[in-house]
């Protein structure tokens, strides 16, 4: 497990992932795929997100694991890829993200594993928004999701108020977050929206993503 220390000036990428356990992950896709295939898809999506994060070569990559980092899948990732492992905190998604940003304390990009369209260039563009002093550097950067949430959030420093009182899992997430950003007087950038895989209707779009044709429905 990683140990906490002062990394204020170090850039990093946090990948939020749930262990690919049958019947406990991608549950909204089980009616269309079955529990085994849904778990396999979660595994494949996690590997994609991790590959994208590593290929971007922005900084160290940390996997934030649920239900905890002791799961065999995550330990295997650590052995083969050399990533840091952290267990996600208790609470809703907002509370878990607050904990991740607090643990790092410096500029951090946080992504999930639901966006097969995400590419290294997207992470590089997000990092540039936080680093570019000539452009006035943004306090935050987002890649919105087409369903009203977001697939990436990046912050130069922790901003716990951004994640409080959000209707997680709803189409209001990004709109509510914009209101929090404006209320806190923060400068932010939104990059072009991407799509993610949450519901059976999203499976058809997987056919155009390399390595995901088996789950295209």
């Amino acid at each position: 497990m990683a140990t906490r220390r002062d990394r204020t000036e170090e850039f990093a990428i946090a990948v939020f992932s749930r262990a690919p356990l049958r019947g406990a992950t991608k549950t909204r896709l089980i009616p269309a795929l079955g529990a085994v295939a849904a778990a396999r898809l979660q595994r494949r999506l996690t590997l994609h997100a991790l590959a994208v994060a590593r290929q971007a070569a922005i900084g160290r990559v940390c996997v934030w694991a649920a239900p905890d980092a002791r799961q065999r899948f995550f330990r295997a990732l650590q052995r083969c890829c050399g990533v840091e492992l952290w267990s996600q905190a208790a609470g809703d998604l907002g509370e878990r993200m607050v904990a991740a940003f607090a643990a790092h304390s410096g500029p951090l990009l946080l992504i999930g594993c639901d966006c097969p369209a995400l590419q290294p260039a997207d992470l590089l563009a997000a990092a540039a928004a936080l680093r570019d002093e000539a452009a006035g550097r943004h306090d935050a950067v987002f890649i919105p999701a087409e369903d009203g949430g977001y697939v990436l959030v990046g912050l130069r420093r922790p901003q716990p108020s951004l994640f409080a009182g959000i209707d997680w899992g709803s189409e209001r997430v990004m709109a509510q977050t914009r209101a929090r950003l404006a209320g806190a007087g923060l400068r932010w950038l939104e990059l072009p929206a991407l799509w993610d895989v949450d519901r059976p209707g999203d499976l058809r779009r997987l056919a155009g993503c390399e390595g995901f044709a088996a789950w295209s429905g």
Side-chain angles (χ1 to χ4, degrees):
M1 296 295 294
T3 57
R4 298 185 184 216
R5 58 183 182 273
D6 185 9
R7 291 165 167 162
T8 303
E9 300 304 320
E10 185 183 357
F11 214 100
I13 300 173
V15 180
F16 263 36
S17 177
R18 182 167 291 278
L21 302 175
R22 183 175 60 184
T25 185
K26 287 292 175 202
T27 54
R28 285 184 288 189
L29 296 180
I30 289 177
L33 294 177
V36 173
R40 288 175 54 220
L41 177 57
Q42 172 66 14
R43 180 181 183 278
R44 181 67 186 86
L45 286 166
T46 298
L47 293 175
H48 170 79
L50 184 56
V52 167
R54 298 178 71 204
Q55 290 167 21
I58 292 166
R60 64 193 181 89
V61 177
C62 312
V63 174
W64 284 78
D68 59 64
R70 295 172 295 178
Q71 295 291 323
R72 186 191 325 179
F73 173 68
F74 296 123
R75 304 304 290 184
L77 285 183
Q78 185 180 49
R79 288 193 301 272
C80 72
C81 302
V83 297
E84 292 186 13
L85 283 183
W86 297 78
S87 294
Q88 290 186 33
D92 65 19
L93 178 59
E95 292 168 316
R96 288 180 275 138
M97 290 196 291
V98 166
F101 279 104
H104 181 72
S105 78
L108 178 70
L109 301 182
L110 190 154
I111 63 174
C113 295
D114 294 335
C115 184
L118 190 70
Q119 297 298 320
D122 300 312
L123 299 185
L124 290 168
L130 301 181
R131 284 174 164 163
D132 190 357
E133 294 188 29
R137 280 201 304 186
H138 297 84
D139 300 299
V141 61
F142 292 84
I143 297 180
E146 292 179 1
D147 63 6
Y150 50 82
V151 302
L152 176 149
V153 52
L155 300 175
R156 280 203 291 142
R157 61 179 60 89
Q159 302 286 350
S161 64
L162 292 183
F163 306 108
I166 301 294
D167 296 324
W168 301 110
S170 77
E171 72 283 357
R172 299 180 295 278
V173 170
M174 192 67 229
Q176 292 174 336
T177 302
R178 292 186 188 105
R180 299 284 189 283
L181 289 159
L186 298 175
R187 175 183 170 91
W188 80 95
L189 176 70
E190 293 182 31
L191 297 172
L194 296 174
W195 58 278
D196 52 15
V197 180
D198 285 324
R199 296 174 174 83
D202 300 321
L203 293 172
R204 296 185 183 90
R205 302 179 77 171
L206 280 175
C209 297
E210 184 177 356
F212 289 96
W215 292 279
S216 59

